[in-house]
Amino acid sequence: MAVKQKTKRRPAIFWRSQFMFFAIAVGSATLILRLGYLQVSQAKQFQSQISTQNFFSLSIPPSRGWIYDREGTVMAADVPEFVIQYVRYANDTVSATAVAAELAPVLGMSANKLYNIMINQTPWEAAVTLVNQATPLEMSYIAEHRNSLPGVIMVTVPVRAYPLGMVGAHEIGFIGAIPPNQVNQFQKLGYPNNALVGLSGLEQSYQNELMGQYGQEKIPITPGGIPLDQPIVDVPPQNGDNLILNLDVKLQQVAEQALQQRIAFLRGVGETNVHSGTIVVMNAHTGAVLAMASYPTYNPNWWLGGISNANYQKYLTNNAGLNRAISGTYMPGSTEKMLTAMAALTHGEMTPNLLVDDLGGLQIGNYYMHNWNQGGFGWVGLKEALEVSDDTYFYQVGLNMGHFNTSNPPANINAWLNGGRVSALNQINQLGKAFGLTSLTGIDLPGESAGYVTYANPPTLYDLPAAAIGQEEAYSTIGLATYIAAIANGGYRVQPEVVHAITSPSGQIVKVIKPHIVDKVPVSQAYLTIIQQGLELATHGQLGTATYYFGNDPANVAGKTGTAESGNPNKNNSVFAGYAPYNNPQIAVAAVIPNVTGEGFRAAAPMAQQVIDYYFSHPAKAVVLPNGSNK
């Protein structure tokens, strides 16, 4: 008989141990998979965290781009300066005592003083400067004892320099600390709080091109912020681009000297109210600004390292930081008369053959408006009116524009004051915009002011005739230069440009700024020709207001003088706007000296002559580019 074997039953502990083994296996597999995911999928994130936790980064400023004149003369540069700094690591104030004790004798100060600088000076910054312009002895000591001086580093810092001092100061500008109201703006661009940025002139308007990009020194530290004895990782800065200007340094110096000498001469003969002025020289066809002088002026080197109280007071005196050539506006006087004539001709309010009998002035209602020559000039035409600067002629032109008949005035004067008068002023204003007088010229400098036509309130009968001779407007000197250039070149308004080209730190051409024609002014060539002939008579005619200065000048200048109220009693703006040569224009010049006694020609015209004569005896050369080409 077969015997049935009894099956042996496994104890309960076996099943419990099997379950635990299975659970451990599954758990281990899950952990391994998770670790794999973290190591592979999240590697970049952890690496980034490690980098952030284990390096202290210090911003390294780039070398700012250099600025050259058209022939390669350096007007702004960066020179290297060796600086000793102490980096304030988190949780590591203990080593500062030892560092101060060792380093103080080398730097020639007490340990307590050095410690105080290291810990307390500019505490909001991550690093503090211990020494500017470090000596070779100081640098060699730090290099040899690096291990015992944790946190002490040597940095090469570019420092701005303006080798020509005051020459071209308003155009070049200066750099300084970020203004408090712009800190957020510059932080978004990656600038550290202690960055130096352009605060005026080209330094400001070309800040992005000149600045370059900051580098970093990444210093290894422990997770607690303690510096490690490991190599520093350098991320070098990228230096800024260079600017090559249209300015001619030699002509710039002559313009500045002519302006200052004329002011000094006028003050020397009792004109104590004269203390400022401007002059601009630009290419009549391209708008290239060859020289631009404004006085009073300053030295941009004053601002380097922080301006002193004494120099800051000089800067504030007479608002020396104001570039009066672009930011100042002045009544233009008789230099307005060309615009008045062109507006009237273009709108059909006069013909080129208009004759006016000048008896010394013009009666307008209850007002008698005198000519500057109270004896009058008799019958005068347009070209002759420009030659002798006849006010009476242009009073009449202005009234013609407003449809005001002096022999038969409008029955409703109030309606005319708000109708015909305003319409005529609008015509002057609109044509002024086309010429760059009552609109911005677009020059590549910050702070330009647009000129304007005054619409007096309450209005008077004499507002319009006064506006016709330049007593109700205010224009910038750069606006006047743009205006006279357009008259000279056949009616093309060109945008004034100080910068000709931008080049890389290695000298490669990044951009050449080509001449830009803003518009063709809405004046026919026939009318422009008549105006040009009148300007030639003003400088060469027998009764020309500027013939005394330019009648025998070899440059063959055409232009117009102007005298206008300056705002001070019995004081006038002296204005000149002209171009040369008359038969083949090359340059346009505008000059203003405010607060002169008497007629304006005695101040601005001789200054302009001095600059024009220098230009034609030393003509500007072509701009020199880094590759040796001339453009």
Side-chain angles (χ1 to χ4, degrees):
M1 161 175 100
V3 178
K4 185 177 181 181
Q5 264 189 334
K6 186 177 179 181
T7 304
K8 188 175 180 180
R9 189 174 180 179
R10 297 175 186 262
I13 191 170
F14 171 81
W15 296 110
R16 286 197 296 268
S17 64
Q18 288 290 348
F19 175 79
M20 290 180 62
F21 177 82
F22 177 76
I24 292 171
V26 171
S28 299
T30 303
L31 180 61
I32 292 169
L33 289 172
R34 178 62 179 168
L35 290 173
Y37 168 75
L38 292 176
Q39 183 174 1
V40 177
S41 301
Q42 302 275 304
K44 291 184 179 179
Q45 177 181 337
F46 278 101
Q47 186 63 41
S48 174
Q49 292 175 355
I50 291 170
S51 298
T52 303
Q53 293 170 358
N54 291 280
F55 283 98
F56 181 89
S57 295
L58 186 66
S59 295
I60 305 300
S63 178
R64 197 172 177 87
W66 289 28
I67 303 177
Y68 304 85
D69 91 324
R70 66 187 299 113
E71 294 186 18
T73 302
V74 178
M75 302 187 75
D78 264 18
V79 294
E81 184 176 274
F82 297 99
V83 174
I84 299 174
Q85 292 184 324
Y86 177 70
V87 180
R88 299 182 175 114
Y89 298 104
N91 307 318
D92 189 35
T93 56
V94 176
S95 64
T97 303
V99 169
E102 179 178 350
L103 191 58
V106 181
L107 303 185
M109 64 179 77
S110 69
N112 287 338
K113 180 179 180 180
L114 180 57
Y115 179 84
N116 185 57
I117 293 172
M118 293 164 62
I119 300 303
N120 299 319
Q121 187 168 294
T122 60
W124 58 88
E125 293 182 357
V128 61
T129 297
L130 305 181
V131 176
N132 287 307
Q133 298 178 332
T135 66
L137 178 62
E138 293 166 341
M139 291 188 293
S140 63
Y141 183 89
I142 291 170
E144 293 172 6
H145 299 80
R146 179 180 174 279
N147 292 339
S148 61
L149 297 172
V152 178
I153 61 173
M154 293 183 294
V155 180
T156 302
V157 177
V159 177
R160 205 59 165 166
Y162 302 98
L164 301 182
M166 292 186 174
V167 177
H170 290 103
E171 292 68 57
I172 302 303
F174 58 85
I175 65 172
I178 299 173
N181 63 344
Q182 297 179 30
V183 169
N184 291 338
Q185 171 190 337
F186 279 101
Q187 280 182 340
K188 291 178 181 177
L189 297 174
Y191 288 68
N193 289 342
N194 63 349
L196 300 178
V197 299
L199 298 180
S200 72
L202 296 172
E203 294 278 31
Q204 178 180 344
S205 55
Y206 285 86
Q207 165 65 23
N208 292 339
E209 291 81 0
L210 289 166
M211 187 65 222
Q213 294 184 11
Y214 273 78
Q216 288 185 329
E217 282 200 346
K218 301 177 73 175
I219 304 168
I221 58 175
T222 67
I226 308 299
L228 297 172
D229 185 17
Q230 295 178 6
I232 294 174
V233 178
D234 285 318
V235 179
Q238 297 180 23
N239 295 337
D241 290 337
N242 305 315
L243 303 182
I244 299 176
L245 309 186
N246 288 310
L247 287 181
D248 180 336
V249 158
K250 295 176 183 177
L251 184 65
Q252 177 72 23
Q253 290 173 317
V254 169
E256 292 180 6
Q257 291 168 3
L259 175 59
Q260 294 177 31
Q261 289 169 0
R262 200 63 193 168
I263 292 171
F265 168 79
L266 292 167
R267 292 181 63 83
V269 295
E271 299 275 5
T272 55
N273 286 297
V274 175
H275 56 76
S276 65
T278 75
I279 185 168
V280 173
V281 184
M282 60 184 275
N283 185 299
H285 297 279
T286 68
V289 177
L290 305 174
M292 176 183 288
S294 174
Y295 186 83
T297 188
Y298 67 97
N299 191 330
N301 288 303
W302 290 348
W303 292 85
L304 303 180
I307 191 168
S308 68
N309 288 332
N311 285 335
Y312 191 58
Q313 289 306 311
K314 293 179 186 177
Y315 183 79
L316 293 178
T317 301
N318 294 324
N319 202 4
L322 179 70
N323 185 349
R324 288 167 168 80
I326 66 169
S327 301
T329 54
Y330 307 91
M331 281 191 182
S334 294
T335 57
E336 173 76 16
K337 292 173 179 175
M338 298 89 78
L339 187 72
T340 300
M342 288 185 288
L345 289 165
T346 300
H347 288 277
E349 308 295 357
M350 66 173 286
T351 71
N353 300 319
L354 174 68
L355 295 176
V356 173
D357 188 10
D358 174 22
L359 300 177
L362 192 64
Q363 187 73 40
I364 307 170
N366 295 326
Y367 302 97
Y368 186 79
M369 300 191 69
H370 290 280
N371 187 6
W372 70 268
N373 175 18
Q374 296 188 24
F377 288 102
W379 288 100
V380 178
L382 175 54
K383 288 187 286 188
E384 293 75 23
L386 290 172
E387 174 188 1
V388 301
S389 198
D390 191 293
D391 294 334
T392 305
Y393 185 94
F394 288 96
Y395 294 152
Q396 186 61 62
V397 171
L399 292 175
N400 288 354
M401 294 173 69
H403 300 165
F404 187 101
N405 188 334
T406 56
S407 301
N408 185 23
N412 188 334
I413 293 297
N414 285 332
W416 179 83
L417 289 173
N418 294 288
R421 165 186 163 273
V422 173
S423 177
L425 291 173
N426 285 341
Q427 290 176 8
I428 292 173
N429 190 19
Q430 288 302 315
L431 191 57
K433 287 182 179 179
F435 275 102
L437 291 170
T438 55
S439 61
L440 296 175
T441 67
I443 189 170
D444 51 342
L445 289 172
E448 181 184 6
S449 296
Y452 56 88
V453 175
T454 300
Y455 292 76
N457 187 19
T460 66
L461 284 176
Y462 58 78
D463 290 342
L464 180 55
I469 66 165
Q471 304 293 333
E472 295 289 329
E473 299 88 357
Y475 304 140
S476 67
T477 310
I478 190 64
L480 285 169
T482 304
Y483 159 64
I484 199 67
I487 292 174
N489 68 29
Y492 294 95
R493 174 184 157 191
V494 291
Q495 182 170 304
E497 299 282 1
V498 180
V499 175
H500 176 82
I502 301 171
T503 66
S504 70
S506 62
Q508 298 299 311
I509 297 173
V510 175
K511 180 180 181 181
V512 173
I513 299 172
K514 297 180 180 179
H516 174 55
I517 297 175
V518 178
D519 61 27
K520 175 72 168 63
V521 297
V523 179
S524 72
Q525 183 58 56
Y527 294 153
L528 285 169
T529 298
I530 294 171
I531 298 300
Q532 292 167 353
Q533 292 169 348
L535 295 179
E536 197 272 339
L537 286 172
T539 54
H540 292 83
Q542 185 176 357
L543 298 178
T545 55
T547 296
Y548 177 82
Y549 294 105
F550 297 107
N552 296 315
D553 195 287
N556 193 15
V557 179
K560 188 76 189 70
T561 57
T563 304
E565 295 177 359
S566 67
N568 288 335
N570 302 316
K571 303 297 179 183
N572 300 311
N573 293 336
S574 175
V575 185
F576 177 80
Y579 60 92
Y582 165 68
N583 54 354
N584 182 26
Q586 293 183 34
I587 59 169
V589 180
V592 181
I593 296 183
N595 299 314
V596 176
T597 302
E599 294 300 322
F601 68 84
R602 58 190 294 266
M607 172 176 67
Q609 181 191 27
Q610 185 176 345
V611 174
I612 291 169
D613 287 349
Y614 178 86
Y615 173 85
F616 283 103
S617 62
H618 303 79
K621 298 178 181 178
V623 178
V624 177
L625 296 175
N627 60 6
S629 66
N630 295 343
K631 292 187 178 180

